[in-house]
Amino acid sequence: MGEILALVEARLRTALGEPDARAAVTFLGTDRIEVLRFVDADAGLVRYATLGMSDRPMADPTAALADPVKGPRAELVLSVRNGLADTDKVLRPLAVLAATPQVEGVVVAPGASLDVGEPLWPGAPFSSVLVAESGGLVEDLDLDEPLDPVRFLPLLPMTSNEAAWKRVHGAQALEERWLANGTDLRDPLRRSVTLD
C-alpha cells in the first residue's frame, strides 16, 4: 500500500509546496505515522500534515471484521501562525491523533472532536481539535476503485471550554460562534471564544 502514501505526499506537495521538515512516530501495534511541516512565508503560516493515516481504511468500530480495502481514508492538516509559539512540538500529538483509527478503531470524520489529553504544544490553551470539512486547502485524492478517496481534514484547535460547549451544542454551532466573533483559528495563543 506504499503507493497510496506516495500519491498522498505528491498531493500535499502540490498543494502546500516542499516540506522543510518531517518526523516519524511509531506506536506499539500501529503503522508508522509521519508529520510533514510546510512553511508558507507569504501567509506567515506553518502547516503540519500527517502522512500514513490513509495507508489503510478506517474501520467501522461496530463491524465484526475490518475491510482491508473499502472504507474512508484521511490525513490531518493543522495550520497555525508562524513564530508565535513553539508549535513544532505538535508533531507527536498530531501523530497520536492520526493513529487513533488504528488504536481505538474509530472513524475520524468532519464534526468529530479529538483530544490528546495534554496541550498540543508547550503553553497551548488547546488539548483538543475539531475536525473540519475537507476539500479546501488540499483537494481530496481519488484512488482507483474500489478504494475510497483520501480526504485531507483540517484540524481546528479548541479550548477546553469550547470543546465542552461543542459537546452540548454541536460542531456547526461552535463554528458559527467562531465566525460571528471573527475568531482567528490559526492563532496558537488565542483565547476561548465568548460562550453563553
Side-chain angles (χ1 to χ4, degrees):
M1 285 298 202
E3 65 272 11
I4 289 177
L5 295 186
L7 293 171
V8 168
E9 184 167 353
R11 174 60 53 93
L12 286 169
R13 287 172 185 266
T14 299
L16 305 177
E18 287 298 309
D20 74 334
R22 65 194 307 148
V25 181
T26 305
F27 304 102
L28 189 63
T30 67
D31 295 333
R32 167 186 163 117
I33 302 284
E34 287 190 90
V35 179
L36 282 58
R37 183 180 73 184
F38 301 86
V39 175
D40 183 344
D42 294 339
L45 298 173
V46 60
R47 304 185 195 279
Y48 302 93
T50 63
L51 180 63
M53 182 177 171
S54 61
D55 198 29
R56 60 173 76 185
M58 293 181 275
D60 180 344
T62 61
L65 194 61
D67 189 321
V69 177
K70 288 199 64 63
R73 295 174 188 265
E75 296 290 353
L76 308 175
V77 181
L78 173 70
S79 300
V80 292
R81 299 221 172 277
N82 199 3
L84 300 179
D86 188 8
T87 55
D88 281 350
K89 297 287 195 301
V90 78
L91 300 179
R92 184 169 176 77
L94 266 183
V96 168
L97 296 178
T100 302
Q102 286 184 54
V103 174
E104 298 180 19
V106 298
V107 174
V108 175
S113 299
L114 302 174
D115 196 315
V116 293
E118 61 185 36
L120 292 175
W121 51 83
F126 323 103
S127 65
S128 62
V129 293
L130 175 65
V131 181
E133 290 286 344
S134 67
L137 185 63
V138 184
E139 284 184 38
D140 295 347
L141 173 65
D142 289 324
L143 301 174
D144 293 336
E145 290 289 340
L147 304 179
D148 287 25
V150 176
R151 304 201 184 288
F152 298 88
L153 301 172
L155 300 180
L156 309 175
M158 294 187 292
T159 66
S160 56
N161 286 346
E162 290 168 341
W165 197 84
K166 182 254 176 194
R167 280 192 292 276
V168 174
H169 299 280
Q172 184 175 349
L174 179 58
E175 290 187 59
E176 288 170 0
R177 182 61 58 104
W178 282 335
L179 192 60
N181 284 273
T183 306
D184 181 1
L185 297 174
R186 295 172 174 165
D187 180 352
L189 303 172
R190 75 171 179 85
R191 297 192 182 284
S192 183
V193 71
T194 305
L195 303 168
D196 50 22

